[in-house]
Amino acid sequence: MRPKLLGIVNITEDSFSDGGRFFEPRAAIEHGLRLLEEGADILDLGAAASNPSARPVPPDEEIARLAPVCEGLLSHGAALSIDSFATETQRFAISLGVNYLNDIQGFADSSFYGELARAECFLIAMHSSQRIGKATREASDDSRPVTERVIGFFEERIAALEQAGVERERLVLDPGMGFFLSPDALDSVRILREIPQLRERFGLPVLVSTSRKSFLREIAGVPLEEAGAASLASEIFAAAQGAQYIRTHQPKPLRESLRVWGHFG
């Protein structure tokens, strides 16, 4: 079975990939509907960029950006994921009945676990070396190999969420990519190779988000505007490794490639 595709909608001024292009609600809604037409199963809406150069966005501003876009897309029956680590924003998203919460901190606020347990949405828990806040360009102070760090994080966080009453089958694991892992591009490659190990160890679906990431541009030696082929190659590899969700800026070429690749499986 092919992975589910999350189409990225950045309602931000400073996203590394398309900052400002879809900042206005109408532009974001139109872009989201276009991504659905191009093959996205779910739309992942982010109103606060998490790249190392992005400015912090307070939750009230984040919610104000999200509200009209969510309303517009939900009126078209879109399945939504809200990409935020702010508890207030997650609470707002739950009140709308969104399908997924996508947290780059892997749900660090334990005081919110009771509400998460009572909610019905899936929880995409992402590992990041930073643990708190956006990505940084600094290496982790954890000296363990990257795979051990990722596994250790998930063991700890899954146990905490389950203890609070969150049903295990609602969890999706995202090992993080690029600067969320380390400044070393090869660490992201190593984790992509370890997707089968993560699936086997935890028995949970894995989400991968490599689209346009700097580690791919470094490996391929291309600028951002030419990162499409490198992104697609990494996404097909992730699918071959067993990723059940892929978060992407360009669902159309990925959907078409997966359709062809499926005939060789």
Side-chain angles (χ1 to χ4, degrees):
M1 188 171 69
R2 72 161 181 83
K4 292 184 179 181
L5 307 186
L6 281 76
I8 299 170
V9 181
N10 290 315
I11 314 165
T12 60
E13 299 169 299
D14 50 5
S15 169
F16 80 93
S17 62
D18 52 19
R21 289 184 61 195
F22 312 114
F23 187 66
E24 294 300 323
R26 177 178 293 182
I29 293 168
E30 289 176 352
H31 182 56
L33 295 176
R34 184 163 54 250
L35 292 176
L36 292 174
E37 291 175 358
E38 293 177 354
D41 301 292
I42 304 154
L43 298 177
D44 190 52
L45 311 184
S50 56
N51 66 79
S53 302
R55 75 169 180 86
V57 177
D60 58 343
E61 184 177 347
E62 199 176 5
I63 291 169
R65 294 178 181 184
L66 285 167
V69 180
C70 288
E71 180 181 358
L73 292 171
L74 286 171
S75 71
H76 286 84
L80 299 185
S81 166
I82 301 301
D83 180 357
S84 176
F85 58 80
T87 298
E88 297 93 329
T89 306
Q90 292 177 356
R91 183 176 290 117
F92 166 76
I94 289 171
S95 74
L96 294 181
V98 302
N99 305 82
Y100 296 81
L101 295 181
N102 182 8
D103 188 335
I104 66 169
Q105 296 181 3
F107 302 97
D109 181 6
S110 59
S111 69
F112 190 51
Y113 285 5
E115 291 179 62
L116 291 179
R118 291 188 294 273
E120 298 181 356
C121 56
F122 289 94
L123 307 179
I124 302 171
M126 195 189 91
H127 157 271
S128 71
S129 294
Q130 294 79 24
R131 294 294 181 109
I132 299 295
K134 63 183 184 178
T136 65
R137 294 184 173 87
E138 287 75 37
S140 171
D141 56 7
D142 189 332
S143 60
R144 291 177 297 170
V146 64
T147 302
E148 289 184 24
R149 285 191 270 124
V150 171
I151 288 173
F153 172 81
F154 284 137
E155 286 179 338
E156 173 188 306
R157 194 53 51 86
I158 292 169
L161 288 165
E162 283 192 295
Q163 187 174 7
V166 175
E167 297 169 336
R168 188 182 184 90
E169 52 268 29
R170 290 174 53 208
L171 299 179
V172 178
L173 307 183
D174 178 355
M177 286 285 134
F179 287 119
F180 286 113
L181 281 174
S182 82
D184 184 351
L186 293 182
D187 277 342
S188 292
V189 175
R190 292 184 184 99
I191 290 299
L192 286 172
R193 289 175 178 157
E194 296 296 342
I195 290 172
Q197 179 182 343
L198 293 175
R199 288 188 59 187
E200 181 178 356
R201 188 178 190 100
F202 297 108
L204 290 170
V206 173
L207 178 146
V208 167
S209 179
T210 57
S211 187
R212 301 178 182 172
K213 290 287 176 72
S214 60
F215 83 93
L216 292 176
R217 307 199 306 269
E218 178 184 336
I219 292 170
V222 296
L224 175 62
E225 59 271 17
E226 297 175 16
S231 297
L232 183 57
S234 69
E235 291 166 347
I236 293 297
F237 180 74
Q241 293 295 96
Q244 289 108 315
Y245 293 86
I246 297 178
R247 181 177 175 271
T248 185
H249 293 90
Q250 295 182 290
K252 187 175 189 294
L254 178 54
R255 186 79 174 251
E256 293 170 354
S257 297
L258 288 170
R259 187 179 299 124
V260 173
W261 172 72
H263 285 277
F264 295 94

